[in-house]
Short mmCIF file of all heavy atoms in Angstrom, two decimals:
data_model
loop_
_atom_site.label_atom_id
_atom_site.label_comp_id
_atom_site.label_asym_id
_atom_site.label_seq_id
_atom_site.Cartn_x
_atom_site.Cartn_y
_atom_site.Cartn_z
N SER T 6 48.31 126.06 159.97
CA SER T 6 46.95 125.83 160.48
C SER T 6 45.98 125.57 159.34
O SER T 6 45.15 124.66 159.41
CB SER T 6 46.49 127.02 161.30
OG SER T 6 47.33 127.20 162.42
N ALA T 7 46.08 126.37 158.29
CA ALA T 7 45.20 126.18 157.13
C ALA T 7 45.49 124.86 156.43
O ALA T 7 44.57 124.17 155.98
CB ALA T 7 45.35 127.34 156.16
N LEU T 8 46.75 124.48 156.33
CA LEU T 8 47.09 123.21 155.70
C LEU T 8 46.53 122.03 156.49
O LEU T 8 46.24 120.98 155.90
CB LEU T 8 48.60 123.08 155.54
CG LEU T 8 49.21 123.83 154.37
CD1 LEU T 8 50.73 123.70 154.39
CD2 LEU T 8 48.65 123.35 153.05
N SER T 9 46.38 122.17 157.78
CA SER T 9 45.76 121.11 158.57
C SER T 9 44.33 120.87 158.11
O SER T 9 43.87 119.73 158.04
CB SER T 9 45.76 121.47 160.06
OG SER T 9 47.06 121.51 160.56
N TYR T 10 43.62 121.95 157.80
CA TYR T 10 42.25 121.80 157.29
C TYR T 10 42.25 121.35 155.83
O TYR T 10 41.48 120.47 155.45
CB TYR T 10 41.48 123.12 157.40
CG TYR T 10 41.18 123.53 158.81
CD1 TYR T 10 41.85 124.59 159.42
CD2 TYR T 10 40.23 122.85 159.57
CE1 TYR T 10 41.58 124.98 160.71
CE2 TYR T 10 39.96 123.23 160.88
CZ TYR T 10 40.64 124.29 161.43
OH TYR T 10 40.36 124.65 162.72
N PHE T 11 43.12 121.92 155.02
CA PHE T 11 43.17 121.57 153.60
C PHE T 11 43.71 120.18 153.35
O PHE T 11 43.60 119.66 152.24
CB PHE T 11 44.01 122.59 152.82
CG PHE T 11 43.38 123.94 152.70
CD1 PHE T 11 44.15 125.08 152.77
CD2 PHE T 11 42.01 124.10 152.54
CE1 PHE T 11 43.59 126.34 152.66
CE2 PHE T 11 41.43 125.34 152.43
CZ PHE T 11 42.22 126.47 152.48
N SER T 12 44.27 119.56 154.38
CA SER T 12 44.81 118.20 154.20
C SER T 12 43.70 117.19 153.93
O SER T 12 44.00 116.03 153.63
CB SER T 12 45.63 117.78 155.40
OG SER T 12 44.82 117.60 156.54
N ILE T 13 42.45 117.60 154.00
CA ILE T 13 41.35 116.72 153.62
C ILE T 13 41.50 116.29 152.16
O ILE T 13 41.02 115.25 151.76
CB ILE T 13 39.98 117.38 153.87
CG1 ILE T 13 38.85 116.37 153.79
CG2 ILE T 13 39.69 118.48 152.90
CD1 ILE T 13 38.22 116.07 155.07
N PHE T 14 42.25 117.08 151.38
CA PHE T 14 42.48 116.75 149.98
C PHE T 14 43.61 115.74 149.79
O PHE T 14 43.59 115.00 148.81
CB PHE T 14 42.85 118.01 149.18
CG PHE T 14 41.72 118.98 149.04
CD1 PHE T 14 41.75 120.19 149.70
CD2 PHE T 14 40.64 118.69 148.24
CE1 PHE T 14 40.71 121.10 149.57
CE2 PHE T 14 39.59 119.59 148.09
CZ PHE T 14 39.64 120.80 148.76
N PHE T 15 44.61 115.73 150.68
CA PHE T 15 45.78 114.91 150.39
C PHE T 15 46.20 113.95 151.50
O PHE T 15 46.76 112.91 151.21
CB PHE T 15 46.98 115.78 149.98
CG PHE T 15 47.36 116.83 150.97
CD1 PHE T 15 48.26 116.57 151.98
CD2 PHE T 15 46.82 118.11 150.89
CE1 PHE T 15 48.62 117.54 152.89
CE2 PHE T 15 47.18 119.09 151.78
CZ PHE T 15 48.08 118.80 152.78
N ALA T 16 45.97 114.23 152.75
CA ALA T 16 46.34 113.32 153.85
C ALA T 16 45.45 113.61 155.05
O ALA T 16 45.88 114.19 156.04
CB ALA T 16 47.80 113.49 154.21
N PRO T 17 44.19 113.18 155.00
CA PRO T 17 43.20 113.62 155.98
C PRO T 17 43.55 113.35 157.45
O PRO T 17 43.27 114.17 158.28
CB PRO T 17 41.94 112.86 155.60
CG PRO T 17 42.13 112.47 154.21
CD PRO T 17 43.58 112.34 153.98
N PHE T 18 44.13 112.24 157.77
CA PHE T 18 44.42 111.94 159.17
C PHE T 18 45.89 112.19 159.51
O PHE T 18 46.21 112.66 160.58
CB PHE T 18 44.06 110.49 159.51
CG PHE T 18 42.65 110.15 159.16
CD1 PHE T 18 42.36 109.29 158.13
CD2 PHE T 18 41.60 110.72 159.85
CE1 PHE T 18 41.06 108.98 157.80
CE2 PHE T 18 40.29 110.42 159.53
CZ PHE T 18 40.02 109.55 158.50
N LEU T 19 46.73 111.88 158.61
CA LEU T 19 48.18 111.90 158.86
C LEU T 19 48.72 113.31 159.08
O LEU T 19 49.44 113.56 160.06
CB LEU T 19 48.91 111.22 157.71
CG LEU T 19 50.39 111.02 157.87
CD1 LEU T 19 50.66 110.12 159.06
CD2 LEU T 19 50.97 110.40 156.62
N PHE T 20 48.38 114.23 158.22
CA PHE T 20 48.96 115.57 158.30
C PHE T 20 48.59 116.32 159.58
O PHE T 20 49.47 116.87 160.25
CB PHE T 20 48.59 116.38 157.05
CG PHE T 20 49.38 117.65 156.91
CD1 PHE T 20 50.69 117.62 156.46
CD2 PHE T 20 48.83 118.86 157.26
CE1 PHE T 20 51.42 118.78 156.33
CE2 PHE T 20 49.55 120.04 157.14
CZ PHE T 20 50.85 119.99 156.68
N PRO T 21 47.30 116.35 159.97
CA PRO T 21 46.99 117.05 161.23
C PRO T 21 47.66 116.42 162.45
O PRO T 21 48.06 117.13 163.38
CB PRO T 21 45.46 116.96 161.34
CG PRO T 21 44.99 116.75 159.97
CD PRO T 21 46.06 115.97 159.28
N ILE T 22 47.80 115.10 162.46
CA ILE T 22 48.48 114.44 163.58
C ILE T 22 49.94 114.86 163.64
O ILE T 22 50.46 115.18 164.72
CB ILE T 22 48.36 112.90 163.48
CG1 ILE T 22 46.92 112.47 163.75
CG2 ILE T 22 49.30 112.21 164.45
CD1 ILE T 22 46.65 111.01 163.51
N ILE T 23 50.60 114.89 162.50
CA ILE T 23 52.01 115.30 162.46
C ILE T 23 52.16 116.74 162.92
O ILE T 23 53.04 117.06 163.72
CB ILE T 23 52.60 115.09 161.04
CG1 ILE T 23 52.70 113.60 160.74
CG2 ILE T 23 53.96 115.76 160.92
CD1 ILE T 23 53.06 113.29 159.30
N ILE T 24 51.31 117.62 162.41
CA ILE T 24 51.37 119.04 162.80
C ILE T 24 51.11 119.19 164.29
O ILE T 24 51.78 119.95 164.99
CB ILE T 24 50.37 119.88 161.97
CG1 ILE T 24 50.78 119.90 160.52
CG2 ILE T 24 50.26 121.29 162.51
CD1 ILE T 24 52.12 120.53 160.25
N TRP T 25 50.15 118.46 164.82
CA TRP T 25 49.80 118.53 166.24
C TRP T 25 50.98 118.08 167.10
O TRP T 25 51.28 118.69 168.12
CB TRP T 25 48.58 117.66 166.48
CG TRP T 25 48.07 117.65 167.88
CD1 TRP T 25 48.29 118.56 168.87
CD2 TRP T 25 47.22 116.67 168.45
NE1 TRP T 25 47.63 118.20 170.02
CE2 TRP T 25 46.96 117.04 169.79
CE3 TRP T 25 46.64 115.51 167.97
CZ2 TRP T 25 46.17 116.29 170.63
CZ3 TRP T 25 45.84 114.77 168.81
CH2 TRP T 25 45.61 115.16 170.13
#
Side-chain angles (χ1 to χ4, degrees):
S6 298
L8 281 176
S9 294
Y10 291 108
F11 290 142
S12 69
I13 193 110
F14 291 110
F15 56 89
F18 306 111
L19 186 62
F20 192 77
I22 290 173
I23 291 171
I24 294 297
W25 182 20

